[in-house]
Amino acid sequence: MEAGYQIPFTALFLIGCMLVFTVVTTFMFRRQKTSADYYLAGRKVNSFINASAISADYLSAASFLGVAGVAFLFGFDGIIYALGFFAGYIALLLFLASPLRKFGRYTVPDFVSERFHSKKARVLGAIGVLFVSLFYMAPQMLGAGKVMGLLLNMEYGTSIIIIACIITFYVTVGGMKATTVNQLVQFWVLFGAMFLLAFIPFMLKGYTYTDVVKFIGEFKGAQPVTGKAFDGAAYTSPAYWLTNLKDTLSLLLALMFGTAGLPHILVRFYTAPDGKAARRTVIYVLFLIGMFYIMSPYVGHVVRYVFLQGEALGVSPHLMQWLADNGKNLAVPVAGSYFGGQILLGIVVAGAFAAILSTVAGLIIACAGAIGHDLVVNVFNPDMPERSRVKVARIASILIGLLGIPLGFWAESMQIAILVGLAFATAASTFFPVLVMGVWWPKMTKNGACAGLLVGIVGSFFMILAKDMLPHFLQYQNPGGLVMVLSFAAIYTVSKLEYAARGEDALPEDTAEVMAVLHGPEKA
Amino acid sequence: MDRIETIRKRQLAFALGVGIPYFAFVIGIFLVVYLAGEAISSVSAMGFPLHYWLVAIAIYPITWGLFIWYVGKANAIEEEIAETAGGE
C-alpha cells in the first residue's frame, strides 16, 4: 500500500450493502419460466427503471473514471469523448429504438436473421456481438484490476477474479430481472458519487467552471511533482491533444454511431413494453447521462486546478503522486479524497465498483444471448424445449462471466483506449449500418446484410490490429467512422447489384409484412 | 401495403428531418471549434470561453429540448396511424 493511503471503510460498507442487496434481489428473481424472462425480464420494464439500468450499462468504469480523467489530462479535448458518448443516443432514438422494440425479438442477431431469413447473417451477427462485447469487457476487467485493486489494496489478479465471480453469480441466477434491479441501484450509486464530486467544489468551495478554466488558461510553468512544462492556454484550447482532424472526426463518428450498435444497450430496448416506452426510455437516458457528462469533464478540470496549486491548497503528497503517475484513471478518486476525505473517497470507490459491475453484467447478458439463443438454440437446435433454453442461457452466462478472468489477464499489458476504440469502431461499423438499413430500406437484400456485417467486422478489426501494414492515409487512431461508411456502401452496392440481377426475387418474401411490423401501428 | 409505405416514408422523413440538422449542428460545432480554434477561444460569454459553452454546456439542454419535442411528435404520429388503422 502506498504511504499515506488508507482503505476507505465507507467503500467497504457501501460495497457490502450493494452485495447484500444483489444477493437478495438475485434470489427474489431466480425463477425464470421462459427465455424471454431470462434475457428480457418478461418485456415489462418501465421506462424510468429501464433508463437507469441502461445508463448504468453505458456508464462503465471507462466513463466513470475515464471521462474526468481524460479531461484532467487533455483539458478541452477530453470533452469530445463526453460529447460523442452523449450524442450516440440520438441515432438510437431517431432510427432504432421504437422499430427494434416493435420487431420484438431477443437479440440483435435475431433481427438480422429474421429480417433476411438467413442463418449466415445470424452467425455473423453473433460473432459481431461477441467481438464488440468481449473487447468492451476487457477494459472493464482491466479497470477492475488496476483501479479497484489499488483502491482496495488487492492484487490485480485477485480483483478481477472476485469481480468476475460476483457478476457471474448474479447474472446467471437472476437473469435480466435481477440485473435490471441491481443496475438501477448501481446507477444511482455511481451518479450520486459524480454528483457529490461536482456539487462540493462548485457549491461549497465556490470553484465555478469559469474560474477554474480561467485559472488553468493563465497558468504557464512547471507542473508540481514531475516539473514538466505545462501550457494552460493550449490545454484549454482545441487541438491540444487531438491534433489530427481526420482522426478526431473518425473518433467522433465512431462514438456517435457506435452507441447505436452496442449489443448490450440495444438488447435493453427489447425489455420495454412497447415502441413508445422505448422512445420515452431514451429521453430519460439522455437526461441522466447528459447530466453525468456535464459534470465529469468539470470534475476533471477541477482536479487539474487543484493539482496545479497542490501545496497552496494542502493536497497530500500521495494524492499528488497519484495524479502525476496515473491521473487518467485516478483523477476521480483523488477528487473524492481531497473534497470529502475518507467518506467521499469511499462513495467514489463504491461508484467505480458499481460502474464495473453494471456494465459487465449487461455485457454478459448480451454475449449469453449471442451464444445461448442465437448459436446453440437457433442454429444448432431450434426445437429445444423452453426449460432447456433457460438452462443454456445460464450455462452461457457462466462461460462468458468466467471468460472475463483470462480476458482481464490478457488485457493487463494493453491500452484501455485501444480496446474501447475497437469495441466502438466494431459496433459503429458492424451493427449500426445493418440495423439502420434493415429497418428503413425495404430493398436491402440478404447478401447486402452479410456484406455489411463482414465489412464491419473484418474492416474494423484489420484497421486497428494491422494498422501499421496500411498506407499512411488509411491509418486511423480509431477507424470506426471510415469503416462505418464502407459498410453502408457495401450494403447499398451489393443490394443494388443483386436487385438489378434478380429483381423482386432478391428481396425476402415477407419484406412488406416486416415493414408493417416495424413501422405500422402496434398491436394491443 | 401502400399505406405502410406511406407511413414508413413519413416517419423516415421526420427522423431525417430532425437527425440531419442535429448531426450537422454537432459536427459543425466541432469543425468550427477545431478549424477556427484561436478565434473561437478568444471569445467569451459571461467570462466563460465560447468553445466551452458550446461543447461542454449548451449542447445538452439544446438536445434535451429538441428530442423531448421529437418524441412527443413521433408518438403523436404513431397514435394518428393507429387511429387511422382502427377506423379502416
Side-chain angles (χ1 to χ4, degrees), chain A residues 58 84-85 87-89 92 254-262 265-266 424 427-428:
Chain A
Y58 194 57
F85 286 140
Y89 273 93
L92 191 56
L255 296 178
M256 278 167 58
F257 298 108
T259 305
L262 289 175
I265 300 295
L266 289 166
F424 267 85

Side-chain angles (χ1 to χ4, degrees), chain A residues 77 102 236 279 301 440, chain B residues 8 34 51-52 64 75 78:
Chain A
D77 280 359
K102 285 183 187 173
T236 53
R279 279 203 195 100
H301 280 73
W440 293 101
Chain B
R8 184 188 69 80
Y34 274 82
H51 59 299
Y52 271 88
W64 292 331
N75 284 347
E78 284 207 1

Side-chain angles (χ1 to χ4, degrees), chain A residues 201-371:
Chain A
F202 191 83
M203 297 301 287
L204 304 185
K205 300 266 183 185
Y207 296 171
T208 65
Y209 216 153
T210 310
D211 292 342
V212 167
V213 171
K214 188 167 184 286
F215 174 84
I216 299 172
E218 289 169 357
F219 188 98
K220 195 170 174 95
Q223 289 190 103
V225 186
T226 60
K228 278 186 195 163
F230 179 79
D231 180 357
Y235 175 91
T236 53
S237 298
Y240 172 67
W241 171 51
L242 299 169
T243 50
N244 184 325
L245 187 66
K246 175 191 85 172
D247 277 332
T248 311
L249 203 53
S250 186
L251 169 72
L252 185 67
L253 290 175
L255 296 178
M256 278 167 58
F257 298 108
T259 305
L262 289 175
H264 66 295
I265 300 295
L266 289 166
V267 76
R268 291 220 63 101
F269 288 95
Y270 295 109
T271 65
D274 54 40
K276 281 186 200 166
R279 279 203 195 100
R280 242 189 344 262
T281 301
V282 184
I283 287 294
Y284 287 133
V285 173
L286 282 176
F287 261 109
L288 297 174
I289 65 165
M291 296 291 289
F292 184 90
Y293 286 128
I294 289 175
M295 292 187 291
S296 47
Y298 163 71
V299 171
H301 280 73
V302 166
V303 177
R304 170 62 65 179
Y305 174 80
V306 168
F307 180 61
L308 291 175
Q309 301 185 81
E311 272 183 33
L313 293 177
V315 186
S316 72
H318 84 272
L319 295 182
M320 294 294 282
Q321 196 62 50
W322 274 12
L323 288 176
D325 293 344
N326 193 6
K328 189 176 177 182
N329 289 326
L330 295 176
V332 169
V334 166
S337 180
Y338 176 69
F339 290 113
Q342 288 293 86
I343 293 177
L344 189 53
L345 175 62
I347 295 172
V348 167
V349 174
F353 188 75
I356 293 166
L357 240 56
S358 56
T359 302
V360 177
L363 292 167
I364 292 175
I365 291 262
C367 288
I371 294 177

Side-chain angles (χ1 to χ4, degrees), chain A residues 77-228:
Chain A
D77 280 359
I79 301 175
I80 208 80
Y81 272 88
L83 176 65
F85 286 140
F86 173 74
Y89 273 93
I90 302 304
L92 191 56
L93 170 63
L94 287 169
F95 302 115
L96 298 176
S98 177
L100 279 187
R101 173 59 194 92
K102 285 183 187 173
F103 196 70
R105 295 298 185 267
Y106 290 76
T107 62
V108 178
D110 257 353
F111 174 80
V112 279
S113 153
E114 297 196 19
R115 165 78 173 81
F116 301 104
H117 305 286
S118 164
K119 273 195 180 176
K120 198 163 58 176
R122 184 185 287 279
V123 172
L124 280 171
I127 291 170
V129 169
L130 292 173
F131 268 150
V132 176
S133 302
L134 293 178
F135 278 116
Y136 209 95
M137 196 191 284
Q140 306 307 318
M141 300 314 289
L142 184 58
K146 295 268 184 204
V147 181
M148 298 307 295
L150 178 68
L151 296 172
L152 296 175
N153 194 32
M154 287 191 291
E155 292 293 318
Y156 179 83
T158 316
S159 303
I160 59 171
I161 289 169
I162 289 175
I163 285 185
C165 289
I166 292 169
I167 304 167
T168 306
F169 159 73
Y170 83 76
V171 172
T172 304
V173 178
M176 186 60 113
K177 274 186 194 164
T179 302
T180 302
V181 177
N182 288 320
Q183 282 176 332
L184 170 74
V185 173
Q186 287 154 4
F187 171 74
W188 288 104
V189 171
L190 74 92
F191 188 86
M194 188 53 75
F195 176 77
L196 288 173
L197 287 178
F199 180 83
I200 292 173
F202 191 83
M203 297 301 287
L204 304 185
K205 300 266 183 185
Y207 296 171
T208 65
Y209 216 153
T210 310
D211 292 342
V212 167
V213 171
K214 188 167 184 286
F215 174 84
I216 299 172
E218 289 169 357
F219 188 98
K220 195 170 174 95
Q223 289 190 103
V225 186
T226 60
K228 278 186 195 163

Side-chain angles (χ1 to χ4, degrees), chain A residues 75-77 79-80 82-83 86-88 90-91 93-95 98 102 209-210 213-214 235-240 242 245 248-249 252-253 256-257 275-277 279-280 283 286-291 293-294 297 301 439-442 512-513 515-522, chain B residues 1 3-5 7-16 18-20 22-23 26-27 29-31 33-38 40-41 45-49 51-57 59-61 63-65 67-71 74-76 78-79 81-83 85-86:
Chain A
F76 177 78
D77 280 359
I79 301 175
I80 208 80
L83 176 65
F86 173 74
I90 302 304
L93 170 63
L94 287 169
F95 302 115
S98 177
K102 285 183 187 173
Y209 216 153
T210 310
V213 171
K214 188 167 184 286
Y235 175 91
T236 53
S237 298
Y240 172 67
L242 299 169
L245 187 66
T248 311
L249 203 53
L252 185 67
L253 290 175
M256 278 167 58
F257 298 108
K276 281 186 200 166
R279 279 203 195 100
R280 242 189 344 262
I283 287 294
L286 282 176
F287 261 109
L288 297 174
I289 65 165
M291 296 291 289
Y293 286 128
I294 289 175
H301 280 73
V439 164
W440 293 101
W441 193 35
E513 285 81 8
M515 287 293 143
V517 171
L518 289 168
H519 305 294
E522 282 179 279
Chain B
M1 284 307 148
R3 191 173 62 83
I4 290 296
E5 191 54 12
I7 293 169
R8 184 188 69 80
K9 283 184 177 163
R10 186 177 167 194
Q11 288 177 331
L12 181 61
F14 182 50
L16 289 175
V18 176
I20 290 174
Y22 178 78
F23 286 116
V26 173
I27 294 170
I29 282 183
F30 164 80
L31 286 175
V33 162
Y34 274 82
L35 295 176
E38 275 187 33
I40 293 274
S41 308
M46 291 185 285
F48 200 46
H51 59 299
Y52 271 88
W53 266 122
L54 291 171
V55 176
I57 307 286
I59 196 91
Y60 297 95
T63 306
W64 292 331
F67 287 97
I68 286 172
W69 170 81
Y70 171 81
V71 166
N75 284 347
E78 284 207 1
E79 272 164 27
I81 293 166
E83 276 170 25

Side-chain angles (χ1 to χ4, degrees), chain A residues 461-475:
Chain A
F461 207 73
F462 191 72
M463 285 193 72
I464 288 178
L465 293 184
K467 192 173 82 173
D468 296 339
M469 293 160 62
L470 296 169
H472 184 69
F473 75 97
L474 279 179
Q475 291 183 7

